Amino acid sequence: MSYPSVSFRFALFLSFSLTASSSSSSLLPPVPFFSKRYAPSSSIPKATPSDLLSLLASKSQPLTVNPVVARQLKSCFKFLVPFSPAMPRHRKLGMAALTGPSRREENELVWFPPEPVLELARLAVDSGGDSAAIHRLLNPTVIPVPDVEGSNKDRCQLTRTPYGRRFVCEELNLYLQFLFELIVNRGPSVGLDVKLNRFDLFHGHLFLAVDSGRLGILFHAKEYPEYDKQVFPYNMGFCQRGSNVTYDDSMNLRNILWLAPLPGDSKDSWVAPGVLVVLDARADGIIYRDLIPDYVKYARTIYEDDLGDVAVDVNYLNVGSETQNYQIFIC
Ligand SMILES: *[C@@H]1O[C@H](CO)[C@@H](O)[C@H](O)[C@H]1NC(C)=O
């Protein structure tokens, strides 16, 4: 997430809190803004982020997830790579497969990624979700984020910090790149028309979901829809200027989730394959109802912090001037 949208989020939060405190001065009980979110307000069972992760970990339905919730959640999963119930046989696909893989190889790279990605997934769990463990895998050299498609002239800073870093292990950087490209290539198969540019898809949030033992990335496409008096009357700051992303039904598909395979108890065991899925936040679905906070319903944003502890943001930015040149920046 980039800073302008953070401040946008907090500005909204502030205006809600002010409303809440002014209503408390009129002797009404204060409105607990956040605590309402997952609390059962009636007998209708609510979906939680952990339900979502559980369903993506096993084929048989986990007993912890209410069957009604499970059915509704599953109806919102649009898989970019077929959901594979069993761990495929471990086929070692290395660097070579990351550049120019076949469709089958692409699937396998998601189900069972190259060794460094698996090590990262295991490290996430073994470290108890300590993001410092991830940070230590980054090259300490900081790389200033250059102009991205004219962002400088709009005074837009897309990334959390004005500089980024890369993983020491080049295969990890390549894998991230592979995921961005795969989302763009396969998006249309589920109705997601997505482009790699500074208004649409350029970032994801790498998180560690400690309770479920899962490492993942929540990608956000359609980050800055074009301001439009009728359909999107929201000012999101400098980075929205000049946007050519139309606010339409494809906004429902802007949250894309990658999960690394789920590590088992012993060093080499894996209990669930990797996943790449679009989380459909259509207005009549359970994701929209239960997993998207009220104050960003219109933007259809699932928050990464709801899925786990965020370790870093991963950005894939076109920093070329004449010709396209996409680079990874970890911030
Ligand atoms: C939309 O804007 C991006 C970023 O400036 C640009 O790369 C892309 O070509 C534009 N798309 C269209 C259809 O104009």
Side-chain angles (χ1 to χ4, degrees), residues 148-150 195-199 242-245 318 324 326:
V148 180
E149 299 158 349
K195 299 277 184 303
L196 284 169
N197 66 50
R198 71 179 175 100
F199 305 116
S243 170
N244 54 15
V245 169
N318 176 14
Q324 293 184 340
Y326 288 91

Side-chain angles (χ1 to χ4, degrees), residues 79 86 98 109 299:
F79 291 101
L98 282 174
L109 283 165

Side-chain angles (χ1 to χ4, degrees), residues 7 35 91 99 159 176 196 198 200 215-216 227 240 309 328:
S7 43
S35 58
R91 243 186 78 190
T99 53
T159 50
L176 295 175
L196 284 169
R198 71 179 175 100
D200 196 341
L215 172 80
Y227 178 93
Q240 186 188 27
D309 298 328
I328 292 285

Side-chain angles (χ1 to χ4, degrees), residues 3 15 32 72 108 151 153 254 294 318:
Y3 269 83
S15 69
Q72 294 183 25
E108 290 186 359
S151 56
K153 75 166 164 28
R254 66 176 298 238
D294 286 344
N318 176 14

Side-chain angles (χ1 to χ4, degrees), residues 290-303:
D290 294 348
L291 299 182
I292 293 184
D294 286 344
Y295 60 102
V296 279
K297 289 276 199 228
Y298 66 90
R300 305 284 195 271
T301 310
I302 296 177
Y303 277 115

Side-chain angles (χ1 to χ4, degrees), residues 5 41 56 62 93 105 121 151 170 175 190 194 205 212 239 254 281-282 285-286 289 295 303 306 329:
S5 60
S41 53
L56 293 169
L93 290 171
E105 282 172 336
S151 56
E170 190 51 29
Y175 192 77
V190 300
V194 57
H205 310 275
S212 54
C239 290
R254 66 176 298 238
R282 58 177 192 270
I286 194 169
R289 193 192 71 192
Y295 60 102
Y303 277 115
D306 288 342
F329 291 85

